[in-house]
Amino acid sequence: MPSPPRAVILLSGGLDSATCLALARQQGFECHAMTVAYGQRHVAEIAAARRVASALGAHEYRLAQVELGQFGGSALTDHGIAVPEGSGCDDLKSSGIPVTYVPARNTVMLSMALAWAETLGASDIFIGVNAVDYSGYPDCRPEFIAAFQAMACLATKAGVEGRPLFIHAPLIELSKAEIILQGVALGVDYGLTVSCYQADDTGQACGHCDACRLRRAGFLAANIADPTRYRISP
């Protein structure tokens, strides 16, 4: 029988990327999972990514490193910038780009995934970006994904030789509740994941940052028990 097609899945350790890995596996891809340590302050997600890769049967797992923290400019890489907290999800709809945006993060991560995909002979890359339940990240929009795919086809040996590369963002138009329901149907154990922007070293979540509030609201809307471990009851 022919070998299954290979795909690189960017795996952060959070809820969305875990769902992406499960979707890629369901679609018959041989999944090569990549986590990027970019200088983030919430390093518990890296341990979570390893757990998710193992639980969902990734064929191979790689931890890549790039130091975006040296540039600062984000609450996720600069300890001098406070992670925003609030009391609900309505205030997440405000205009402007949140301070949790990491400059060029998805561009850099996709570029690293692209390099690995070329060496693997893979034509497909999965990324768990979402443009519905989050506001303001310019590198989570459909326009960005389409532009990166066009660039990938122009800038790679595979692309110029007629083997186009495809960037899959299957969650980009889904609500958090829809993502959770899809993942549960695929057997994702969300208790293995970490979404919190300031999780402690054991992976316990703060319960108050934007990521925690969106995650909790998603489980509530999906009518599924939230398996997140919180340091303090939110």
Side-chain angles (χ1 to χ4, degrees):
M1 293 182 63
S3 300
R6 294 174 173 176
V8 173
I9 293 84
L10 282 167
L11 189 64
S12 70
L15 182 155
D16 295 337
S17 67
T19 308
C20 261
L21 175 54
L23 282 167
R25 184 185 64 176
Q26 181 201 41
Q27 293 173 24
F29 286 98
E30 178 183 280
C31 297
H32 297 255
M34 171 186 281
T35 301
V36 180
Y38 58 88
Q40 62 266 56
R41 61 198 288 174
H42 47 302
V43 294
E45 69 176 15
I46 296 173
R50 292 184 186 276
R51 294 194 298 267
V52 170
S54 176
L56 291 179
H59 180 81
E60 184 178 4
Y61 175 80
R62 291 282 184 95
L63 176 63
Q65 300 192 41
V66 59
E67 187 48 66
L68 294 180
Q70 66 184 303
F71 305 119
S74 170
L76 301 192
T77 59
D78 187 340
H79 287 270
I81 302 175
V83 173
E85 298 184 357
S87 58
C89 286
D90 289 343
D91 53 326
L92 296 176
K93 306 297 183 183
S94 60
S95 61
I97 297 174
V99 296
T100 49
Y101 163 68
V102 180
R105 178 177 60 178
N106 285 346
T107 304
V108 171
M109 288 182 174
L110 278 171
S111 297
M112 298 177 80
L114 179 60
W116 195 21
E118 269 216 287
T119 64
L120 289 170
S123 298
D124 300 87
I125 296 170
F126 284 74
I127 182 170
V129 293
N130 179 261
V132 175
D133 260 352
Y134 214 71
S135 59
Y137 284 10
D139 55 0
C140 288
R141 297 175 297 160
E143 297 90 338
F144 167 73
I145 297 300
F148 192 96
Q149 179 171 298
M151 181 279 297
C153 291
L154 290 171
T156 57
K157 180 176 183 290
V160 299
E161 290 181 348
R163 291 175 285 118
L165 294 117
F166 301 95
I167 311 299
H168 302 266
L171 313 181
I172 202 162
E173 301 290 353
L174 301 182
S175 71
K176 193 65 71 180
E178 289 170 330
I179 293 169
I180 290 167
L181 288 169
Q182 193 165 100
V184 168
L186 293 171
V188 177
D189 179 0
Y190 287 120
L192 300 176
T193 66
V194 173
S195 301
C196 180
Y197 287 151
Q198 45 193 358
D200 64 20
D201 290 343
T202 70
Q204 289 186 308
C206 72
H208 302 289
C209 69
D210 291 355
C212 280
R213 288 149 55 203
L214 284 165
R215 178 181 170 116
R216 188 168 63 252
F219 279 107
L220 183 63
N223 197 28
I224 290 175
D226 182 358
T228 309
R229 296 182 300 116
Y230 294 104
R231 293 196 297 273
I232 302 172
S233 178

